Amino acid sequence: GAPINAASIDALSQHFPLCMRNLHMNLRKNSHLKHFGRLQYTLFLKGIGLTLEDCLIFWRQAFKLITDDTFNKEYRYNVRHAYGDVGGDATRRGRGYSPFSCQKILTEHPPGSGESHGCPYRHFSGDNLTTLLQTTGINDRDVLKGVKEDVEKKRYHIACNRVFDFTHAAEIKKAKDEGSWSAGDNETLVHPNTYFKKSFMLAN
Ligand code: SF4
């Protein structure tokens, strides 16, 4: 399959769920993310298989407006900490923190102004959510309407899965035709890393 390294994150982001695409786009736009955005995104990247070394390269290159010195002083430690390379108690050492589930992202630390973490289906206004989906290439009226209804019923996962099914329709059909689609593949995605994994596998 495609390599997973610091240089391939832009290309891989087509497989990311909306929460992580939003973080990625904001990082590229502002060359910065605030604390919880960095944490949510770092743990996700760790979960897709990005090594600590590549994750540090990724962040260092992404934060274009700061010096190496500032990066090393203010940001390097937290990335290493997330990977379990430094700090933490004995149980976390060498392992670090687990990537956040949708449940955690949906319920903890709602984003404030200027923050890009969280779940867009949950934390964006209806108009902003539609605009974001359109930015990622989703212009289908039925899908946008379906998402709106899901969100109104607070069925955020369902909205996210609706978008997954729509954006992967051809690949899902192919997998079904080839018999490589199992019953478990119909399960609702409830973790950003599962979303990535399924999308990545369908394409590779
Ligand atoms: Fe991310 Fe989960 Fe929200 Fe989808 S439902 S955008 S994977 S937090």
Side-chain angles (χ1 to χ4, degrees), residues 17-20 102 105-106 118-121 156-157 160 190-192 195:
L18 200 58
C19 51
M20 303 304 170
C102 297
I105 294 170
L106 286 163
C119 170
Y121 297 105
Y156 309 112
H157 293 113
C160 188
V190 294
H191 198 295
Y195 187 111

Side-chain angles (χ1 to χ4, degrees), residues 3-187:
I4 293 175
N5 56 40
S8 65
I9 301 301
D10 284 312
L12 289 171
S13 69
Q14 62 170 308
H15 297 297
F16 293 0
L18 200 58
C19 51
M20 303 304 170
R21 281 194 84 153
N22 182 49
L23 283 167
H24 189 74
M25 288 189 295
N26 275 290
L27 176 61
R28 287 297 182 236
K29 189 168 73 180
N30 303 321
S31 300
H32 191 262
L33 285 177
K34 291 193 173 177
H35 174 76
F36 282 115
R38 293 198 307 273
L39 184 59
Q40 180 175 317
Y41 199 28
T42 295
L43 292 173
F44 171 78
L45 293 173
K46 175 186 167 189
I48 74 169
L50 192 69
T51 63
L52 170 60
E53 196 181 34
D54 268 77
C55 198
L56 286 166
I57 294 170
F58 171 77
W59 285 113
R60 172 62 285 230
Q61 291 176 344
F63 281 22
K64 291 192 185 102
L65 310 174
I66 60 166
T67 62
D68 282 342
D69 196 39
T70 304
F71 181 80
N72 290 337
K73 273 194 196 129
E74 294 181 21
Y75 302 105
R76 178 175 288 271
Y77 185 90
N78 282 340
V79 178
R80 292 180 62 200
H81 190 253
Y83 273 74
D85 194 45
V86 285
D89 56 30
T91 57
R92 296 213 188 271
R93 204 154 297 138
R95 197 161 55 84
Y97 291 80
S98 299
F100 295 164
S101 65
C102 297
Q103 181 65 18
K104 192 173 169 83
I105 294 170
L106 286 163
T107 56
E108 293 179 18
H109 299 295
S113 82
E115 292 185 311
S116 311
H117 66 277
C119 170
Y121 297 105
R122 167 85 176 79
H123 297 121
F124 272 38
S125 69
D127 285 350
N128 286 348
L129 176 58
T130 299
T131 305
L132 177 61
L133 284 168
Q134 287 172 333
T135 308
T136 69
I138 296 165
N139 292 296
D140 186 281
R141 281 168 177 235
D142 290 340
V143 173
L144 293 173
K145 186 166 167 273
V147 164
K148 192 164 172 272
E149 288 165 4
D150 295 335
V151 167
E152 279 165 8
K153 291 178 196 144
K154 303 193 192 302
R155 290 155 47 121
Y156 309 112
H157 293 113
I158 304 300
C160 188
N161 279 264
R162 180 188 297 279
V163 167
F164 184 94
D165 290 345
F166 175 73
T167 50
H168 298 80
E171 291 151 308
I172 292 170
K173 185 180 178 304
K174 187 163 169 271
K176 282 182 176 166
D177 288 347
E178 289 172 352
S180 58
W181 187 263
S182 64
D185 290 325
N186 288 321
E187 273 170 34

